[in-house]
Amino acid sequence: MADIFYQTIRSLSEKLGKREITSREITEAYLGRIEKHDRDINSFITVGREIALKNAEEADKRIAAGEKGPLLGVPLAIKDLINIEGVVTTCASKILENFRSPYSAFVIKQLEQAGAVFLGKTNMDEFAMGSSNETSHFGVCKNPWDLKAVPGGSSGGSAAAVAAGFCPGSLGSDTGGSIRQPAALCGIVGLKPTYGRVSRFGLVAFASSLDQIGPMSHTVEDSATILQAIAGFDPMDSTSVNLPVPDYSESLNKGVKGMVIGIPKEYLIEGTDAEALAAVKGAASRLESEGARIEEISLPHTEYAIPVYYVIAPAEASSNLSRYDGVKYGYRSKNGENLAEMYINSRTEGFGTEVKRRIMVGTYALSSGYYDAYYIKAQKVRTLITEDFTKAFGKCDIILTPTTPSPAFNIGEKTSDPLEMYLSDIFTVSANLAGIPGITIPAGFSSKNGRPLGVQMLANHWGEPALFTAASAYEKLRDPSISAKTPTL
Amino acid sequence: MAVQESVPQMTMAKLTGDEVRKVATLANLRFDDAELEKMTGTLAQILGHIDMLKKLDTGNVPPTSHALQSENVFRADEHTNNFKTELTLDNAPAKDRNYFSVPRIIE
């Protein structure tokens, strides 16, 4: 059974279809591995053994009845800010420690229909605010490749769980890089879809104009399979876009001949790890050898993306998180004589430091006298960043960049300097501001510390098919030893 | 000619503990003196970084609130919520019969 742990969704699905193995057997095996090794990794906040086995038995019945499907009977892990009815959704915060979801998110209903099995809820930065998983109320999650290293964040648990062989795929959410950055640092594939492609109904809101749910997996094909299941219009999310969902499997393995790949000169900046840059150049030359054309492009407002993001995301967060006041759900302080005191004490005792910091930045940026200078100013620069991409995609189909400026950093290395931590998202935040899709693909390992490196590909709005084409091409062209390597637990 | 935007003269050197305390009040948060001092320092550092946006002339640039053009979404004003009251109250920190219970508001 040990040989199933690093199999792809595709391969598990084939074994299930041929009745070589049951979903219950696969699920039991993963649960066993989680039980044995997650003490060291801490990738799960909640392991839902009973629900998982119930899902698995249901899937086995459907398979026995002749049903087929790429996710039928396949176990997945879900980031702990996506609601599953009857299961605790903590957002890795004390304030939601005991919150039991009264309904399931749209993506969960879609995955249930597809027959997926939910193994549990994964660790993350509190309210998805962080790039290292260190702000979790439930303790830091560790990088399976090196337990001294962070897994990245905020979807650190979802990335680490896949990398550790606890599940073949997971869901994360990406507000400024929270799927792509941890996926890169853990050596897996992570996709942030176009804003509006996947419903946010049942996703706990951080920054509503930026948040998007997406898949994390071993391969590009598996990424497409999960996206296929969760994408689509949902009237319950007013920003969900009613466009037909293409058959993403058709875009895989099409080859990159004639495709134009842009490399933004502003991303090849000083301070970026030399091997991260070499990975981009290596990917470019391999794609070029298969008939893609490489162009240097310019995204002149790149340096403003972090400051814009750290106005807009905290501003939206300060508004979204005002609902946590201890009245209807969540943590309520026992201190306080009156209602106003109860609000303040519940929030002060319930939120962690980073969440408070972002609420403070956001409240400041939205406060009277500063609204124009910070919030409106940031929204205007957001327009300039979006226009940069519009112009760039007039010249190229795909933009190729490093996913992160460096491989995973050490636990504790950046916690004392929030700004330094924020800058680790420098290559990922722009895609959220512009609403475009982005994918990260494993591209090698640091020669210094053996930690994974990723390359990122960005496409224009609704350009997921182009991303899958280019990413699956690169996946085949890269050094085959990259996908053969697994961490030792 | 670009419209001159009003930019308050707020730079990192000028952020005071009193201002941070005022923002904390707006955010329904409380910090003790040591926390306040630390928060003032990090906020000044973060706002100092954000201040680089001032370098850009954005007089004629429209603001973006959503990456994709979004339209108002309407639906019929009909009851669609099937939640049972008990289910909603399951997460209540304190309840009394079918109500959320909170500390006394009226003396």
Side-chain angles (χ1 to χ4, degrees):
Chain A
M1 194 58 80
D3 64 335
I4 74 157
F5 295 130
Y6 283 95
Q7 299 222 0
T8 60
I9 290 174
R10 160 78 176 262
S11 146
L12 289 174
S13 174
E14 279 171 5
K15 287 189 191 335
L16 285 162
K18 288 189 207 144
R19 321 277 170 96
E20 287 172 13
I21 195 167
T22 65
S23 176
R24 194 188 164 100
E25 287 167 330
I26 296 175
T27 303
E28 293 265 22
Y30 280 121
L31 287 169
R33 184 170 172 88
I34 293 164
E35 198 175 327
K36 193 168 165 204
H37 291 293
D38 203 40
R39 260 169 297 186
D40 303 328
I41 310 279
N42 199 26
S43 62
F44 281 86
I45 291 174
T46 305
V47 177
R49 188 176 181 88
E50 275 175 44
I51 289 181
L53 293 175
K54 200 172 130 247
N55 292 160
E57 274 167 27
E58 182 63 28
D60 283 331
K61 275 188 209 149
R62 286 166 66 175
I63 293 167
E67 196 179 331
K68 289 191 186 333
L71 290 173
L72 187 55
V74 174
L76 298 175
I78 308 295
K79 187 177 181 180
D80 204 15
L81 45 36
I82 297 170
N83 287 325
I84 302 178
E85 189 179 329
V87 178
V88 172
T89 300
T90 70
C91 279
S93 180
K94 180 180 173 185
I95 214 158
L96 284 176
E97 200 167 15
N98 300 309
F99 177 76
R100 206 165 281 280
S101 307
Y103 64 91
S104 283
F106 176 84
V107 293
I108 295 299
K109 288 189 191 145
Q110 295 290 103
L111 289 176
E112 277 171 353
Q113 230 168 52
V117 172
F118 303 123
L119 290 172
K121 307 293 291 290
T122 54
N123 206 347
M124 53 184 276
D125 281 293
E126 185 181 1
F127 281 99
M129 297 176 188
S131 309
S132 66
N133 212 122
E134 290 169 293
T135 73
S136 168
H137 175 62
F138 300 96
V140 65
C141 169
K142 291 169 187 163
N143 193 316
W145 292 95
D146 184 343
L147 299 183
K148 292 192 296 297
V150 301
S154 67
S155 311
S158 287
V162 174
F166 295 155
C167 53
S170 60
L171 289 188
S173 68
D174 192 314
T175 305
S178 281
I179 287 174
R180 290 161 288 154
Q181 186 255 21
L185 301 194
C186 287
I188 63 165
V189 174
L191 170 80
K192 181 203 92 75
T194 306
Y195 184 80
R197 178 81 288 180
V198 178
S199 168
R200 294 180 296 111
F201 178 70
L203 167 75
V204 179
F206 161 13
S208 306
S209 81
L210 306 166
D211 297 341
Q212 199 59 194
I213 298 170
M216 305 175 82
S217 56
H218 290 299
T219 64
V220 175
E221 180 182 30
D222 287 355
S223 186
T225 298
I226 298 175
L227 182 64
Q228 196 77 53
I230 62 174
F233 178 63
D234 173 19
M236 295 300 277
D237 172 2
S238 64
T239 60
S240 167
V241 177
N242 196 356
L243 277 179
V245 180
D247 181 350
Y248 294 120
S249 68
E250 285 175 4
S251 53
L252 299 163
N253 311 318
K254 268 173 82 175
V256 289
K257 198 166 162 46
M259 208 173 218
V260 183
I261 314 266
I263 301 186
K265 59 180 183 202
E266 292 81 3
Y267 280 53
L268 308 179
I269 53 171
E270 224 176 292
T272 298
D273 186 90
E275 287 176 315
L277 294 178
V280 170
K281 287 180 182 148
S285 65
R286 282 167 202 253
L287 291 166
E288 195 172 24
S289 72
E290 287 294 301
R293 204 169 84 228
I294 309 298
E295 290 272 338
E296 186 186 86
I297 57 155
S298 176
L299 297 167
H301 295 94
T302 297
E303 62 170 323
Y304 300 103
I306 292 280
V308 167
Y309 178 83
Y310 278 97
V311 173
I312 289 174
E316 293 184 13
S318 73
S319 170
N320 274 329
L321 271 62
S322 66
R323 72 191 65 178
Y324 303 104
D325 57 10
V327 174
K328 297 193 287 291
Y329 48 80
Y331 173 80
R332 178 185 290 189
S333 171
K334 292 189 172 57
N335 309 311
E337 301 280 289
N338 56 45
L339 190 63
E341 286 282 305
M342 187 203 83
Y343 292 156
I344 293 171
N345 292 333
S346 299
R347 291 167 63 77
T348 300
E349 294 162 25
F351 289 134
T353 306
E354 181 60 27
V355 172
K356 287 179 190 169
R357 188 180 289 137
R358 305 239 188 151
I359 292 173
M360 290 292 287
V361 172
T363 306
Y364 180 86
L366 291 175
S367 67
S368 168
Y370 301 104
Y371 181 81
D372 286 340
Y374 286 97
Y375 187 59
I376 298 296
K377 181 81 185 182
Q379 287 195 322
K380 288 179 168 193
V381 183
R382 183 177 183 180
T383 305
L384 297 174
I385 289 168
T386 307
E387 285 172 359
D388 281 356
F389 281 107
T390 308
K391 279 179 207 152
F393 287 121
K395 290 183 193 144
C396 64
D397 304 303
I398 292 287
I399 295 175
L400 177 68
T401 80
T403 311
T404 60
S406 69
F409 41 91
N410 285 336
I411 293 168
E413 190 180 324
K414 295 189 182 190
T415 39
S416 60
D417 187 348
L419 192 57
E420 168 96 11
M421 183 77 86
Y422 296 172
L423 291 170
S424 67
D425 293 333
I426 191 150
F427 299 136
T428 48
V429 288
S430 301
N432 300 78
L433 294 169
I436 59 172
I439 192 167
T440 180
I441 315 107
F445 298 90
S446 164
S447 64
K448 290 189 285 287
N449 51 29
R451 297 173 187 175
L453 285 165
V455 292
Q456 175 180 242
M457 293 176 182
L458 305 171
N460 211 346
H461 298 129
W462 316 109
E464 284 85 356
L467 280 186
F468 289 137
T469 299
S472 63
Y474 170 64
E475 202 175 40
K476 269 199 224 142
L477 293 166
R478 73 180 173 195
D479 179 352
S481 72
I482 294 170
S483 57
K485 217 167 150 186
T486 57
T488 318
L489 297 192
Chain B
M1 177 68 196
V3 180
Q4 206 53 46
E5 289 165 61
S6 67
V7 177
Q9 293 309 300
M10 169 58 61
T11 56
M12 55 186 295
K14 288 187 182 162
L15 190 71
T16 65
D18 280 348
E19 281 173 301
V20 175
R21 196 173 280 119
K22 192 186 137 204
V23 176
T25 307
L26 293 173
N28 268 336
L29 291 171
R30 184 186 294 117
F31 299 102
D32 65 27
D33 290 347
E35 287 169 334
L36 190 84
E37 199 186 320
K38 217 173 159 190
M39 186 59 75
T40 307
T42 35
L43 288 192
Q45 190 200 7
I46 294 163
L47 294 171
H49 184 73
I50 291 168
D51 275 345
M52 75 187 273
L53 296 179
K54 290 179 187 167
K55 285 198 295 188
L56 284 172
D57 178 2
T58 50
N60 293 322
V61 180
T64 295
S65 61
H66 264 83
L68 291 149
Q69 288 253 317
S70 58
E71 289 162 17
N72 241 334
V73 177
F74 296 98
R75 68 167 177 85
D77 186 17
E78 285 162 3
H79 169 89
T80 54
N81 187 345
N82 296 318
F83 280 179
K84 296 265 185 308
T85 309
E86 305 83 65
L87 184 66
T88 308
L89 282 167
D90 270 354
N91 280 304
K95 59 188 165 189
D96 182 0
R97 285 157 296 169
N98 271 352
Y99 301 95
F100 295 105
S101 171
V102 294
R104 175 185 284 271
I105 310 172
I106 303 160
E107 289 301 319

